[in-house]
């Protein structure tokens, strides 16, 4: 399968390029990065224009950029019949509605371009979200702590948001209200998501991507933790998505269906 990478000069982009090159079923044919004209990666010149993907005959493009850039890239890929595997986060509900209409708006259409937007491509992270979803109905309180490198621009992370949404959907009632009456430092108790689940975001040098889900009931707690120590942890999921995206029509917002 002929693969292009958007954001190819970034740390994630370079890791994706290497993973594609190392897989016998994939071929890296195009690299685009709007800030790195004239450079090369894996012997391919990095271009700044999206036309590079069409010129190279890409069947799928992997996008690890920022939301502002992806808002332009994804509709362009759909218009040109190219599948998109997206690890970029920070999209709004309006963005997702647009992507849903542009990628196989009619999900019954055979052979149309498809799009996967996943908050996390690490298999361990997918399992962590599933375990948290399973545990959510059985506890009275729940909080999510996500920890990332200090170059991440959005908070809480896409993985934390998706985890909280899935936990909230698994319940019929809200978690117990927070008893805190005074915050010495405003924001110390984090942000409040659906069903009263609180999210805490940490940005720190030395981190890559980590998350804890802590749930409590009388006399007991359970902690579900996932750690990605290196960006290579995301690559098996990215490679799998490139290979299977033809089989998942329209817009998909989680790697789960690709794992059956």
């Amino acid at each position: 399968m002929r693969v292009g990478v958007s954001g190819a000069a970034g740390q994630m982009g370079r890791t994706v390029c290497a993973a594609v090159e190392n897989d016998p079923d994939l071929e890296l044919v195009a690299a685009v990065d709007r800030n790195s004209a004239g450079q090369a990666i894996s012997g391919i010149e990095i271009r700044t224009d999206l036309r590079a993907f069409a010129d190279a005959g890409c069947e799928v493009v992997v996008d690890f950029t920022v939301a502002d850039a992806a808002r332009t890239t994804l509709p362009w890929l759909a218009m040109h019949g190219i599948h998109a595997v997206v690890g970029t986060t920070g999209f709004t509900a309006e963005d997702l509605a647009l992507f849903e209409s542009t990628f196989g708006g009619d999900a019954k259409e055979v052979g149309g371009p498809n799009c996967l937007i996943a908050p996390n491509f690490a298999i361990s992270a997918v399992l962590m979200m599933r375990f948290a979803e399973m545990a959510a109905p059985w506890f009275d309180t729940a909080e999510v702590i996500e920890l990332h490198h200090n170059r991440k621009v959005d908070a809480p992370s896409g993985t934390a948001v998706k985890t909280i949404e899935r936990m909230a959907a698994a319940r019929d009632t809200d978690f117990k209200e927070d008893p805190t009456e005074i915050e010495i430092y405003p924001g110390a108790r984090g942000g409040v998501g659906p069903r009263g689940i609180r999210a805490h975001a940490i940005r720190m040098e030395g981190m890559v991507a980590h998350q804890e889900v802590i749930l409590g009931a009388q006399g007991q707690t359970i902690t579900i933790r996932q750690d990605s120590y290196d960006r290579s942890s995301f690559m098996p999921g990215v490679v799998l998505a490139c290979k299977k995206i033809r089989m998942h029509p329209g817009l998909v917002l989680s790697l789960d269906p690709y794992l059956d």
Side-chain angles (χ1 to χ4, degrees):
M1 198 165 187
R2 297 175 68 82
V3 180
V5 176
S6 180
Q11 290 180 306
M12 278 298 298
R14 290 182 179 278
T15 306
V16 171
C17 288
V20 170
E21 269 203 307
N22 290 331
D23 191 283
D25 297 324
L26 303 177
E27 180 184 5
L28 181 65
V29 295
V32 168
D33 195 296
R34 59 183 180 178
N35 298 316
S36 302
Q39 298 183 31
I41 188 167
S42 301
I44 296 174
E45 180 185 358
I46 298 177
R47 288 171 51 175
T48 59
D49 58 306
L50 298 177
R51 187 68 205 173
F53 296 134
D55 292 345
C58 290
E59 298 169 87
V60 60
V61 166
V62 180
D63 186 293
F64 277 92
T65 56
V66 294
D68 281 346
R71 289 184 182 108
T72 300
T73 302
L74 269 58
W76 189 94
L77 294 174
M79 185 187 310
H80 289 79
I82 301 172
H83 302 301
V85 171
V86 185
T88 300
T89 60
F91 296 122
T92 65
E94 290 75 17
D95 293 330
L96 298 180
L98 172 63
F99 301 153
E100 187 169 20
S101 67
T102 52
F103 282 94
D106 179 359
K108 298 178 182 178
E109 180 182 350
V110 177
N114 304 323
C115 179
L116 166 65
I117 301 177
N120 201 311
F121 282 89
I123 307 303
S124 57
V126 175
L127 292 171
M128 176 267 298
M129 287 186 277
R130 177 68 180 124
F131 297 156
E133 180 181 40
M134 293 169 64
W138 302 100
F139 290 85
D140 301 322
T141 55
E143 308 212 6
V144 174
I145 306 168
E146 57 94 343
L147 311 91
H148 280 80
H149 54 85
N150 59 351
R151 295 174 304 284
K152 187 169 180 60
V153 298
D154 57 324
S157 68
T159 301
V161 170
K162 189 68 173 179
T163 303
I164 290 170
E165 290 175 348
R166 290 176 62 165
M167 292 170 66
R171 291 178 62 89
D172 297 325
T173 60
D174 291 350
F175 286 95
K176 287 184 176 180
E177 290 187 12
D178 177 32
T180 304
E181 296 181 2
I182 300 172
E183 282 185 311
I184 305 302
Y185 300 129
R189 289 292 293 118
V192 184
R195 296 289 188 198
I197 303 170
R198 289 187 174 265
H200 308 265
I202 294 172
R203 299 292 175 264
M204 186 173 294
E205 288 188 5
M207 299 284 187
V208 177
H210 318 263
Q211 182 167 297
E212 286 188 0
V213 180
I214 307 174
L215 302 103
Q218 186 173 2
Q220 60 181 319
T221 64
I222 183 171
T223 300
I224 306 165
R225 180 173 175 116
Q226 184 270 339
D227 296 281
S228 287
Y229 300 106
D230 187 87
R231 289 172 178 80
S232 61
S233 66
F234 307 117
M235 294 307 105
V238 171
V239 167
L240 176 72
C242 289
K243 294 179 180 180
K244 286 193 171 186
I245 195 165
R246 286 194 186 105
M247 298 179 282
H248 296 273
L251 175 67
V252 177
L253 298 178
S254 170
L255 190 62
D256 295 53
Y258 286 64
L259 303 174
D260 301 322

